[in-house]
Amino acid sequence: MEININKFNPLRASSFIELPPEITQRQAVVNIRNNDDYCFDWSIMAALHPPTGVDFVTSSYPHYSTVLNTAGIDFPISLKDIKNFENQNNISINVYGLEKYYNKISNNEEYEIIGPLHFTNAKKNMLIYY
């Protein structure tokens, strides 16, 4: 008899999560301060439109519902729905994850970019989402 036990941890985007300073200082991650389940849409808006006010605040960008077609997509978005989003909006998206781990050598918690978790097949207006 063989028993395998695996932890199921589905990747689901949600609202704003504070990132560590070493990640945000690289200026490679879009992290919009939102209070809803549409962080994916807000990140797309930040990639498509320069901010009109403070960076990474929802009021600095057009509202996603006026620009993006999200019909039939549940939010927070799952990886399986990104292809539909790409097709509906003529946008190509690559998704990478951020994973925290403990570095035994430096004795610190560190972060590593993993992925791609979703790699687009189409080459349209390219966006990369973390």
Side-chain angles (χ1 to χ4, degrees):
M1 176 181 215
E2 183 176 322
I3 298 175
N4 293 315
I5 300 174
N6 295 309
K7 180 180 177 184
F8 177 65
N9 188 10
L11 177 69
R12 302 262 317 165
S14 188
S15 64
F16 175 78
I17 298 172
E18 190 71 45
L19 294 175
E22 63 268 20
I23 298 299
T24 56
Q25 289 170 354
R26 292 182 194 169
Q27 298 180 342
V29 176
V30 175
N31 193 23
I32 305 299
R33 293 184 180 276
N34 65 306
N35 294 319
D36 55 25
D37 287 337
Y38 296 90
C39 68
F40 179 83
D41 288 350
W42 287 116
S43 296
I44 300 297
M45 295 309 298
L48 295 175
H49 300 279
T52 57
V54 179
D55 285 356
F56 308 128
V57 177
T58 57
S59 60
S60 295
Y61 304 97
H63 196 274
Y64 60 85
S65 65
T66 63
V67 178
L68 302 174
N69 178 0
T70 60
I73 298 174
D74 293 326
F75 288 90
I77 198 164
S78 63
L79 286 174
K80 67 178 180 59
D81 288 331
I82 292 176
K83 186 172 185 169
N84 292 337
F85 183 91
E86 288 178 310
N87 292 336
Q88 289 177 205
N89 292 283
N90 198 33
I91 296 174
S92 297
I93 300 170
N94 293 330
V95 178
Y96 293 84
L98 190 63
E99 186 172 273
K100 182 172 30 174
Y101 68 96
Y102 185 76
N103 186 332
K104 294 177 184 176
I105 296 171
S106 66
N107 235 9
N108 290 323
E109 286 183 342
E110 295 183 5
Y111 295 85
E112 176 180 46
I113 295 175
I114 57 169
L117 303 175
H118 169 83
F119 190 74
T120 188
N121 291 330
K123 302 295 184 213
K124 303 172 187 172
N125 298 321
M126 183 69 72
L127 298 176
I128 299 173
Y129 178 71
Y130 290 95

